[in-house]
Amino acid sequence: MLASLPYRHEKAIQNWREDPRAIQKFKFIHHFIPHAYHKTRAQLLSTRAFLGYFLALFLVLGSIKLLPKVIPGILGYASNIFSRDLLTFTNQKRQEAGLHTLTVNPVLAAAAKKKAEDMFEKGYWAHVSPEGVEPWDFILAEGYDYSYAGENLAKNFNDSKDVVDAWYKSPSHKENLLSANYDEVGFAVVNGVLDGYETTLVVQMFGKSRNPKPIATRVEVPETPAPVTVSALEEQVAPAQVVPKVDVAMVVKVLAFSLGGFLTVLLLIDLWYSKKHGIIKLSGHTLAHLVFLVVTFVSIWVALVPGRVL
Amino acid sequence: MLDDKHLKHYLVLFVVLCLCLALLLFFRFNRLAQIGVATFGSSFYCFWGIMHHALEERLNKKIVTEYILFGILAFLIISTALSV
């Protein structure tokens, strides 16, 4: 049995050399497994393959940037943001800092809504509109005479907690969140298409009124205005739930995980096959590459959020 | 299995990569800082790979290219995710 092996092996090689399909199969399988003779990694882990992956990533990025300009609204950011939660988290941060809580003022909420609608209508994302209209103009236009006022903006966020956390992490927005100068706040959570992407804009307007009475008259609140409750706030400003046709953040995560997962599988095959067949390659450490890829995946999953604040 | 020298090198790699992950989490809402951390992490990985193989006296052009390619790939994946 043992003596006949070399002959059988030679015969098999001879047959294999004469069979073009076997050669094709041999070539194809080495896209996925290391080459014992050349002592190289699988072809899909070669320099040429990596250049292909880079090109694919650039194409994906290009499509994400160009597609919304060609077909506006097809790509977007899923969101589930509620004014009620924004108020809760804002006041929570203020209480943690030993400050008084803010009450909702419907006039400020109306000004915030006008600002969000203006941004969608004119296609800008800034505190000052292209015509030079400032946040204070929206507040004054609603009849809110303030001694102090401020504005925080957010877009592309998935949930309310992330919005407030993002403001809290940014020094200038945190200053607004934790300012003792403000007594009142108004939120607007408005859905629309901005720069071709379907998204949700969040506008938070802070204020301290010089004279609260005229505001109550303007919004036709009864003579003895009661403080606005959380449920009242929900009635005034509808919660925003956006389910776009294609969620950009999810698409990017799925693509990143598909590519990363594919490379991880190839590296695991490389590790197993090389050990099994005793292939010693002059290459980098597969284990190190695996650790690096896993850290990259975890980073994408836990640390990257699509939202932006201004 | 990993010998002592290898283990020390891997420990350094693991600690720095975990630090990068922690920094990415810390700067969760600061894209510029996250790009900076991703650049540092990818560059460090290339440096680590090259130094590790140089210390083992088995560094060649192919190995340098391999670490650089992995570093660039990870950076591009993170940058793509950050750009949306």
Side-chain angles (χ1 to χ4, degrees):
Chain A
M1 179 71 183
L2 280 170
S4 66
L5 264 176
Y7 171 74
R8 283 181 62 189
H9 191 58
E10 272 178 33
K11 190 82 178 163
I13 290 171
Q14 189 61 35
N15 288 341
W16 175 81
R17 280 182 177 151
E18 288 165 8
D19 183 359
R21 277 188 307 177
I23 293 170
Q24 287 297 321
K25 191 180 168 188
F26 174 78
K27 281 182 177 170
F28 182 72
I29 201 78
H30 284 290
H31 279 89
F32 306 95
I33 61 167
H35 205 296
Y37 181 74
H38 295 300
K39 298 194 187 310
T40 53
R41 287 193 190 279
Q43 282 173 31
L44 286 170
L45 288 171
S46 65
T47 306
R48 196 188 295 178
F50 267 78
L51 294 176
Y53 303 143
F54 296 161
L55 188 68
L57 279 171
F58 281 122
L59 282 175
V60 168
L61 196 58
S63 307
I64 288 171
K65 297 285 175 200
L66 284 175
L67 201 60
K69 292 186 184 354
V70 183
I71 316 167
I74 193 164
L75 296 180
Y77 298 88
S79 83
N80 194 15
I81 300 170
F82 296 87
S83 305
R84 173 191 57 203
D85 296 336
L86 291 169
L87 176 69
T88 306
F89 293 128
T90 299
N91 278 336
Q92 201 177 308
K93 295 284 185 201
R94 289 180 67 88
Q95 278 175 326
E96 281 167 14
L99 293 161
H100 64 273
T101 57
L102 301 174
T103 53
V104 171
N105 185 305
V107 181
L108 281 176
K113 192 164 183 274
K114 290 263 168 67
K115 172 67 189 273
E117 286 167 351
D118 193 58
M119 284 195 283
F120 277 127
E121 201 182 304
K122 293 168 186 159
Y124 70 96
W125 164 247
H127 286 297
V128 181
S129 82
E131 291 92 7
V133 181
E134 296 190 359
W136 335 122
D137 298 324
F138 288 95
I139 295 172
L140 291 170
E142 291 301 311
Y144 188 94
D145 187 15
Y146 62 86
S147 51
Y148 291 99
E151 181 190 67
N152 281 347
L153 302 176
K155 69 170 181 175
N156 303 347
F157 280 92
N158 182 256
D159 64 68
S160 313
K161 192 174 185 308
D162 274 353
V163 174
V164 179
D165 281 347
W167 283 331
Y168 192 73
K169 287 262 181 178
S170 157
S172 58
H173 297 93
K174 186 179 177 180
E175 209 173 295
N176 267 343
L177 274 184
L178 301 184
S179 172
N181 292 332
Y182 306 131
D183 294 329
E184 297 172 317
V185 69
F187 295 99
V189 183
V190 182
N191 304 326
V193 176
L194 187 70
D195 295 332
Y197 293 93
E198 193 180 355
T199 192
T200 301
L201 292 182
V202 181
V203 180
Q204 181 183 40
M205 281 186 169
F206 301 91
K208 185 185 179 80
S209 177
R210 282 184 203 276
N211 180 13
K213 276 190 176 175
I215 302 157
T217 312
R218 186 178 172 82
V219 293
E220 289 164 12
V221 176
E223 299 80 44
T224 49
V228 180
T229 61
V230 165
S231 57
L233 174 67
E234 279 310 322
E235 282 162 25
Q236 290 153 9
V237 185
Q241 286 176 297
V242 173
V243 185
K245 288 184 189 80
V246 183
D247 181 10
V248 187
M250 193 48 76
V251 164
V252 168
K253 276 188 179 178
V254 167
L255 285 171
F257 274 78
S258 305
L259 177 60
F262 176 66
L263 290 175
T264 304
V265 170
L266 284 178
L267 287 170
L268 285 171
I269 291 172
D270 182 276
L271 208 61
W272 163 76
Y273 193 84
S274 298
K275 200 175 177 184
K276 190 182 171 194
H277 293 274
I279 304 169
I280 299 166
K281 305 182 294 293
L282 265 175
S283 60
H285 285 304
T286 308
L287 188 63
H289 294 332
L290 282 169
V291 169
F292 187 53
L293 279 179
V294 168
V295 173
T296 305
F297 294 156
V298 177
S299 306
I300 290 169
W301 195 253
V302 302
L304 306 184
V305 286
R308 292 176 192 219
V309 294
L310 190 71
Chain B
M1 286 307 288
L2 295 172
D3 57 30
D4 268 5
K5 197 174 151 191
H6 264 73
L7 203 65
K8 277 179 196 163
H9 291 184
Y10 269 91
L11 199 66
V12 170
L13 175 69
F14 192 70
V15 167
V16 174
L17 290 182
C18 284
L19 188 74
C20 287
L21 181 60
L23 284 171
L24 282 173
L25 263 172
F26 182 77
F27 293 117
R28 200 161 171 246
F29 302 109
N30 186 341
R31 262 154 215 266
L32 208 63
Q34 283 190 321
I35 286 281
V37 175
T39 309
F40 169 76
S42 304
S43 310
F44 174 79
Y45 185 64
C46 300
F47 174 76
W48 179 89
I50 292 165
M51 284 307 290
H52 172 74
H53 286 273
L55 290 171
E56 283 194 330
E57 293 174 353
R58 55 187 292 266
L59 186 69
N60 62 27
K61 210 168 94 180
K62 211 173 131 190
I63 290 175
V64 173
T65 311
E66 191 176 311
Y67 279 95
I68 290 174
L69 287 175
F70 267 93
I72 294 173
L73 185 82
F75 176 74
L76 280 181
I77 290 177
I78 293 181
S79 304
T80 307
L82 278 170
S83 67
V84 297

